[in-house]
Amino acid sequence: MTHWEYWPLQWVYFPLLPVWLYYAVRSRALFFFNTSNPSIRYGGMGMESKKEIYDLMPHGSYPKTVFVPKGMSSTEMLNVLGAAHITYPLITKPDTGMKALAVEKIEDEIALLSYSKKLNEDFLIQELITFPNELGIFYCRYPNSKRGFITGLVQKEFSHVVGDGNKTILSLIKENPRCHLQMATLKKKYGAKLNEILECDEVFELVPFGSHTRGAKFIDVTHLMNDKLFRTIDSLCVQVNGFYFGRMDIRFNTFQELSEGKKYSIIEINGAGSEPTHMYDPKHSILFAWREITKHWQLLFDISKMNKALGHAYLSYSEGKKMLRDSTQLEKKLKSIT
C-alpha cells in the first residue's frame, strides 16, 4: 500500500479523470487521442497492430519479424519461420497486445506450436535480441516541427533472483516483493524448476523482457539525456510516418553505442496509450506521477488538436466505446493464458 507503483491502474488514474474531461471538453470529443498518431490505429491507445507499426519503421531498426495470421497451418508457419532465418530461442507476442501479456521466450518447435494453438490469434515471431540493456524513451514532436523532443528515459532492470548456494529459486522469489507478485505466472511457466538451488551469486532471469507488469524494475535515467542520443532518436522517429507521441523501447549494448546509433534494436513503439514510465521509479511519489501524466496529457491534447486541424478526424463516441470494449475483452483473454 505504501508503494504506489503496485497499485491498480484505476487507483492511479481515477483522481485525474477531471483533467481528461477538461481536454475532452476542449476537444469536443471524449476520444480525441487517435489523431495524435494518424498512421497508427486509434493513435496507439489500444487495439493497434504491432505489425502495422513495424511496417512504418526504418528497415533494420527492429528485430527480424514474421507475422503469423490466425488459422495459419503449423507447416506453413514453420516454413515462413525458416525462410526468415529466425532461430531458437525466439520471442512470440500477440500482434494486438498490451502490457507484455502473452509475450513469451520460446525455446523450441514444440513450445512454438503449443503457443500458436493456445493463443489462437494473430501473432508475431521475432528473433531474440541479446543486447543486455533496455531503455524506454518517451518522444514527442509537434506536427508543424521538423524536430521532436524527449520527455523521459527509463532504464529497465529485468526480473531476476540471485542464488546463495542454499535456497531454492522459489524461496528466493518469495523473499523478493517485486518477484513475489509474479508468483502465479512464474509457477505456471517454470513448474518444478523453481525447486532447484542456485549456486552462490548465480543469476536466474525470471522474465527476459522489461515489462513493469511482469516484474521489471524501472529506473528514471532522464538525467543521462545528451545531444548525441537525442539526434539518434530524433532521426529514427521522424522516419516513422505519422508518429508524434509515444514511447520507444530499445534493447542496446552500451549507452555510449546507443547514443552513437550503434548496436541497438527497437523492440516496440507505443503510441497514445504510452505511459511516462520513468514515473515508476520507486524513488518517485504518486504526486510526481500525477504531474508527469498530466504533463503528457497536455502534450497529447496539443498534438491531437494540431493533427485535427490538418484534416484527421477524432474518433466518434461509438467507435471509442467499441475500442474500449474490444481492449477489455482482449486483456482478459491474454491474462488467462499468460
Side-chain angles (χ1 to χ4, degrees):
M1 290 295 294
T2 59
H3 295 272
W4 74 267
E5 63 168 312
Y6 298 119
W7 295 357
L9 280 181
Q10 57 267 33
W11 290 18
V12 176
Y13 281 90
F14 183 75
L16 299 180
L17 180 60
V19 179
W20 186 272
L21 293 177
Y22 167 73
Y23 291 123
V25 170
R26 289 184 62 185
S27 306
R28 298 183 181 179
L30 187 60
F31 304 104
F32 60 84
F33 49 76
N34 70 295
T35 60
S36 59
N37 300 304
S39 59
I40 300 175
R41 188 185 308 171
Y42 298 128
M45 180 60 78
M47 300 306 294
E48 67 274 19
S49 163
K50 297 183 188 300
K51 179 185 181 301
E52 291 177 2
I53 297 176
Y54 286 125
D55 288 344
L56 297 171
M57 294 162 60
H59 181 72
S61 64
Y62 56 91
K64 287 190 289 187
T65 302
V66 166
F67 175 71
V68 181
K70 181 179 179 180
M72 176 181 275
S73 70
S74 299
T75 300
E76 187 177 0
M77 177 180 66
L78 296 175
N79 287 340
V80 171
L81 180 62
H85 303 291
I86 299 176
T87 57
Y88 299 99
L90 49 80
I91 295 294
T92 55
K93 60 178 68 172
D95 181 51
T96 303
M98 63 194 76
K99 304 176 183 177
L101 296 175
V103 178
E104 298 294 343
K105 181 180 178 182
I106 302 295
E107 300 289 347
D108 51 41
E109 183 178 305
I110 295 175
L112 177 60
L113 295 176
S114 174
Y115 178 90
S116 177
K117 182 178 180 180
K118 175 177 66 174
L119 183 64
N120 194 31
E121 295 282 352
D122 296 346
F123 71 95
L124 304 178
I125 300 174
Q126 292 187 317
E127 66 174 326
L128 177 66
I129 301 300
T130 57
F131 293 135
N133 301 300
E134 185 169 332
L135 191 69
I137 303 175
F138 209 110
Y139 176 87
C140 300
R141 179 165 63 92
Y142 293 118
N144 58 359
S145 176
K146 293 182 179 180
R147 301 184 69 188
F149 51 95
I150 291 171
T151 61
L153 302 178
V154 61
Q155 180 89 37
K156 302 180 181 184
E157 183 181 286
F158 303 156
S159 179
H160 68 281
V161 291
V162 181
D164 62 0
N166 296 306
K167 297 175 183 174
T168 64
I169 297 174
L170 182 62
S171 296
L172 294 170
I173 291 172
K174 289 180 178 179
E175 292 176 357
N176 185 318
R178 189 175 299 274
C179 298
H180 196 184
L181 289 174
Q182 308 296 319
M183 182 64 78
T185 300
L186 295 174
K187 282 184 175 180
K188 187 175 181 181
K189 180 176 178 62
Y190 292 108
K193 186 174 181 62
L194 297 183
N195 296 319
E196 295 180 7
I197 296 175
L198 299 179
E199 297 293 332
C200 188
D201 296 326
E202 180 183 355
V203 177
F204 182 73
E205 192 172 73
L206 297 169
V207 181
F209 35 83
S211 167
H212 189 261
T213 55
R214 299 287 293 274
K217 181 180 179 180
F218 283 11
I219 304 169
D220 186 352
V221 293
T222 305
H223 62 281
L224 296 180
M225 172 55 58
N226 60 67
D227 289 339
K228 280 187 176 180
L229 178 61
F230 168 73
R231 287 194 295 268
T232 294
I233 299 305
D234 191 50
S235 65
L236 286 169
C237 290
V238 296
Q239 295 179 65
V240 182
N241 182 47
F243 173 62
Y244 299 98
F245 179 95
R247 193 187 66 251
M248 177 182 290
D249 296 326
I250 300 181
R251 291 295 289 263
F252 64 99
N253 191 40
T254 68
F255 198 86
Q256 178 64 33
E257 288 171 319
L258 173 61
S259 297
E260 296 172 353
K262 303 174 183 177
K263 296 186 179 180
Y264 72 89
S265 185
I266 303 171
I267 302 303
E268 282 190 0
I269 288 180
N270 301 279
S274 301
E275 292 183 294
T277 48
H278 56 280
M279 70 184 186
Y280 284 114
D281 188 319
K283 71 182 180 184
H284 290 317
S285 69
I286 185 62
L287 294 178
F288 176 89
W290 284 338
R291 285 195 300 269
E292 287 300 295
I293 294 169
T294 301
K295 179 178 75 175
H296 285 79
W297 280 358
Q298 171 77 63
L299 291 168
L300 178 64
F301 167 76
D302 290 340
I303 292 170
S304 298
K305 183 179 179 180
M306 289 179 182
N307 278 324
K308 172 68 161 55
L310 293 174
H312 301 285
Y314 293 145
L315 275 183
S316 68
Y317 182 71
S318 59
E319 290 173 323
K321 280 184 62 179
K322 182 180 185 305
M323 183 210 73
L324 292 176
R325 183 172 61 250
D326 292 346
S327 182
T328 299
Q329 292 174 351
L330 179 63
E331 182 173 2
K332 288 181 180 179
K333 177 177 180 178
L334 296 181
K335 280 183 176 179
S336 71
I337 63 176
T338 296

